[in-house]
Amino acid sequence: MSEFVKTKKEFNKKPFNGNKDIKEGSEFILDIKRLGINGEGIGFYNRLAVFVDGAIPGEGHNVSITKLEGKMAYAKSIEIKTKSEYRKEPLCPYYLSCGGCNVMHIDYNEMLKYKREILIEALNRYTTINPKSFEIKQTIPCDYPLGYRNKAQLNIKKSLGHSQVSMIKANSNILVPIDKCLVQKDLINTINEKVLKCIDEFNIDPFIRKTGLGILRYLVVRVTKDDKALVCFVCKKKDRVIKELANKVLEIKEVISVYENINPQDKSIDVFGTETNHLAGDEYIIETLGKIKYRIYPTTFFQLNSYQAEKLYDTILKQAKLSFKERVLDAYSGVGTIGLYLAHNAKEVIGIEYNKDSIRAANENAKLNKITNARFIQGDASELLPKMVRENEVFDCLVADPPRTGLGDKFITSILESGVKRFIYVSCNPATLAKDLEKLKEAYQINSITPIDMFPQTAHVESVTLLVKR
């Protein structure tokens, strides 16, 4: 049994004494046993779980406690006493100040193993399911561990009279100006640089949250595998200068579409507001995954890693085992990415999505690909599925790709009532996946879980779970 798997059982063997001798500022040597869900190293002092950013399993660190929280504590590493053979120097010059990536200091192939172990630990912690009772496959690697992100939405900051894109420092509101991001496609970095020069040429001020002054909140750039780009300016208010800026930006070779989005709320933490206006060029860009083409607009959801998305959808298609006669329900269908990918092998696909813009795009994508056996309905999946069950609609296969919060109790109840034979659960959060599987286990048997590395250089774990009706 691996150290990673047995940690929880050992953790509960002896009574917790409260660690009254530990307080903020306490220093001691800590052996790192495993990796946490956010990429931090975790060690144990008696029964106190101690989280240390930047630490790797197998290392020994001299740590200082920064925060105590029940049976957990947070610490910073003062010195690495024993260094892991898998530790490497991060390539990014902003790595320590930017919160975008958090495991660039770990060898990529080793990190793939840790991502699988993070899934196992979530099952151990949140379920009574034995992870050895089914297959947990090896993490599917990404062919492009750098330069994979097809979308950037970055703050704008002015420094010494020049506009710069900025990341937000982890656990803060501090903007960290960057020249380029290594996990973004190179084209995005190039377009950012050119657009920033246009912004300065038109003397457009960035929005400053503290004062409420300025116009430009975010610069959003989306690109395709064939190097076509869409640019969207997220602004506090409408201004004619943004239209002039859009026409100038359209002169950049790869940019074929320019939008503005209006987000007037000073304290809003959301990137986009509710009003989106097309300013110049085409109305959308088109990305191709496998044989399917997808229209992409500024605010519609699309997988951030196009290369890895194909592997994800191929995994789903393989597990669905479609033979051209099944009815498939695609819950949380977005712009129809999964549903349309499956349609050629199914009798019928019905997608459910709450976002109206995504539904419009999904139906447009069906027409674009001349797919006539797929349709998409606007609404809440947790409300529409029960309605379908009541109306005796029968589905042979259900695919769900919910947000990080998971399926929700209403939707799970509906799944149990539907009696669907094959359920494919696409998850982006091991913790909520585990909690949902615990609720589904009486009616469904877990056949396999396949972790997929959608976001290299981060601790993010995507996975595909195949469940079969008992």
Side-chain angles (χ1 to χ4, degrees), residues 104-157:
M104 194 180 273
H105 61 285
I106 302 176
D107 173 78
Y108 181 67
N109 289 323
E110 191 66 13
M111 191 60 215
L112 293 175
K113 298 176 186 177
Y114 289 142
K115 292 197 176 191
R116 180 177 181 271
E117 290 178 345
I118 286 172
L119 274 171
I120 294 171
E121 175 60 22
L123 291 167
N124 281 330
R125 183 175 182 184
Y126 297 111
T127 79
T128 56
I129 299 168
N130 181 0
K132 292 185 176 181
S133 63
F134 55 90
E135 183 181 13
I136 301 179
K137 300 185 180 182
Q138 299 302 315
T139 307
I140 296 176
C142 180
D143 297 330
Y144 303 93
L146 296 173
Y148 62 84
R149 285 184 67 100
N150 59 33
K151 176 186 176 184
Q153 47 190 40
L154 300 174
N155 290 270
I156 306 295
K157 183 176 183 179

Side-chain angles (χ1 to χ4, degrees), residues 344-406:
H344 287 301
N345 294 69
K347 178 182 179 180
E348 182 183 17
V349 173
I350 296 176
I352 300 174
E353 170 58 43
Y354 188 78
N355 184 285
K356 291 181 180 178
D357 290 338
S358 293
I359 283 293
R360 175 172 64 92
N363 286 306
E364 287 177 359
N365 288 332
K367 291 179 182 178
L368 177 67
N369 291 280
K370 298 180 180 179
I371 293 174
T372 57
N373 64 331
R375 58 190 174 93
F376 298 89
I377 306 167
Q378 195 273 327
D380 186 334
S382 64
E383 295 177 359
L384 285 180
L385 182 55
K387 182 174 182 290
M388 291 174 171
V389 171
R390 288 195 302 271
E391 294 173 356
N392 296 318
E393 285 213 51
V394 177
F395 295 97
D396 302 288
C397 181
L398 167 65
V399 181
D401 186 5
R404 288 187 63 80
T405 50

Side-chain angles (χ1 to χ4, degrees), residues 155-166 175-179 196 199-200 204-206 208:
N155 290 270
I156 306 295
K157 183 176 183 179
K158 215 156 201 175
S159 179
L160 300 176
H162 297 288
S163 298
Q164 292 179 281
V165 288
S166 305
L175 295 181
V176 180
I178 63 172
D179 293 320
L196 290 170
I199 290 170
D200 287 340
I204 300 171
D205 291 325
I208 301 173

Side-chain angles (χ1 to χ4, degrees), residues 4 40 55 75 93 107 111 134 146 148 158 186 214 221 235 264 282 284 286 321 323 342 421 432 448:
F4 190 94
E40 68 278 76
D107 173 78
M111 191 60 215
F134 55 90
L146 296 173
Y148 62 84
K158 215 156 201 175
D186 284 339
V221 180
C235 306
D282 298 342
Y284 48 81
I286 293 179
K321 288 190 175 180
S323 57
L342 302 180
K421 296 176 183 176
T432 52
S448 66

Side-chain angles (χ1 to χ4, degrees), residues 412 415-417 419-421 437-446 467-470:
I412 288 174
I415 294 171
L416 297 174
E417 291 175 354
V420 65
K421 296 176 183 176
L437 292 179
E438 180 70 9
K439 297 170 185 174
L440 290 162
K441 69 176 184 178
E442 298 304 325
Y444 286 89
Q445 177 178 328
I446 302 172
L467 299 106
V468 180
K469 189 88 168 87
R470 289 187 183 277

Side-chain angles (χ1 to χ4, degrees), residues 9 30 42 80 124 214 238 242 286 298 327 330 379 399 401 416 464:
K9 294 177 181 177
L30 183 72
I42 302 177
I80 304 177
N124 281 330
K238 283 189 176 183
I242 300 298
I286 293 179
R327 295 187 78 223
D330 177 16
V399 181
D401 186 5
L416 297 174
V464 179

Side-chain angles (χ1 to χ4, degrees), residues 256-398:
I256 64 170
S257 178
V258 186
Y259 277 80
E260 70 173 357
N261 175 273
I262 309 302
N263 184 349
Q265 303 300 321
D266 284 355
K267 304 300 181 183
S268 173
I269 59 173
D270 296 323
V271 173
F272 291 108
T274 56
E275 181 183 349
T276 304
N277 303 306
H278 178 236
L279 298 180
D282 298 342
E283 290 191 8
Y284 48 81
I285 53 176
I286 293 179
E287 182 64 290
T288 303
L289 300 181
K291 298 178 181 178
I292 308 298
K293 296 179 179 179
Y294 301 94
R295 291 181 180 179
I296 300 176
Y297 296 89
T299 61
T300 48
F301 172 79
F302 195 81
Q303 288 286 353
L304 295 173
N305 188 337
S306 298
Y307 310 109
Q308 206 68 343
E310 286 192 39
K311 293 184 181 181
L312 172 66
Y313 299 159
D314 283 339
T315 300
I316 296 168
L317 180 60
K318 182 179 179 180
Q319 294 187 350
K321 288 190 175 180
L322 302 176
S323 57
F324 309 101
K325 57 186 179 183
E326 293 85 3
R327 295 187 78 223
V328 178
L329 180 64
D330 177 16
Y332 308 94
S333 60
V335 298
T337 47
I338 296 174
L340 295 175
Y341 208 87
L342 302 180
H344 287 301
N345 294 69
K347 178 182 179 180
E348 182 183 17
V349 173
I350 296 176
I352 300 174
E353 170 58 43
Y354 188 78
N355 184 285
K356 291 181 180 178
D357 290 338
S358 293
I359 283 293
R360 175 172 64 92
N363 286 306
E364 287 177 359
N365 288 332
K367 291 179 182 178
L368 177 67
N369 291 280
K370 298 180 180 179
I371 293 174
T372 57
N373 64 331
R375 58 190 174 93
F376 298 89
I377 306 167
Q378 195 273 327
D380 186 334
S382 64
E383 295 177 359
L384 285 180
L385 182 55
K387 182 174 182 290
M388 291 174 171
V389 171
R390 288 195 302 271
E391 294 173 356
N392 296 318
E393 285 213 51
V394 177
F395 295 97
D396 302 288
C397 181
L398 167 65

